Amino acid sequence: QVQLVESGGGLVQPGGSLRLSCAAPGVTFDNYAVAWFREAPGKERKGVACLIADGTTTYADSVSGRFTIFKDDTKKTVYLQMNTLKPEDTGDYYCAADPRVNSPIDPLETWEWDYWGQGTQVIVSF
């Protein structure tokens, strides 16, 4: 059973930064792809960033250049560094994992991912 636990959400002003964490004690990153998704109020869940075993990353256009996904193998934790935050970045952020070494065909689509965390809320507002 793969358990994913997100943390680090909160209230931040536009232009600010946050770092989200996803603890994944049962995941060996050599054998898993990981991703972050965002569910904005009243909208469907959408991928924002994906990281596969060889270090290749994929980002949604809306966050490219502002968000960075990275991992710490020793801590078994995946991070999402979010800079220059905008009000439209508001939402619940979920960590996802899938046992694969290659990139999913559609890495930013929910159906590609087997395991999910419970989410952490991010609010970008004055």
Side-chain angles (χ1 to χ4, degrees), residues 9-88:
L11 173 65
V12 61
Q13 292 188 356
S17 297
L18 273 180
R19 178 177 292 183
L20 306 183
S21 300
C22 173
V27 172
T28 301
F29 291 129
D30 287 348
N31 302 320
Y32 277 78
V34 291
W36 285 95
F37 283 73
R38 176 173 67 208
E39 189 171 313
K43 297 186 178 181
E44 63 181 10
R45 193 174 300 184
K46 289 287 191 181
V48 295
C50 167
L51 172 65
I52 64 173
D54 69 357
T56 301
T57 55
T58 302
Y59 295 96
D61 290 343
S62 61
V63 307
S64 182
R66 299 188 298 121
F67 289 13
T68 303
I69 184 172
F70 62 100
K71 62 185 178 175
D72 185 325
D73 291 326
T74 59
K75 294 183 178 179
K76 290 189 177 291
T77 300
V78 180
Y79 301 93
L80 184 68
Q81 178 66 42
M82 306 187 294
N83 298 328
T84 319
L85 282 161
K86 304 175 181 180
E88 51 263 43

Side-chain angles (χ1 to χ4, degrees), residues 10 23 25-26 52-53 62 69 73 106 116 118 124-125:
I52 64 173
S62 61
I69 184 172
D73 291 326
D106 293 308
W116 295 87
Q118 82 291 346
V124 184
S125 180

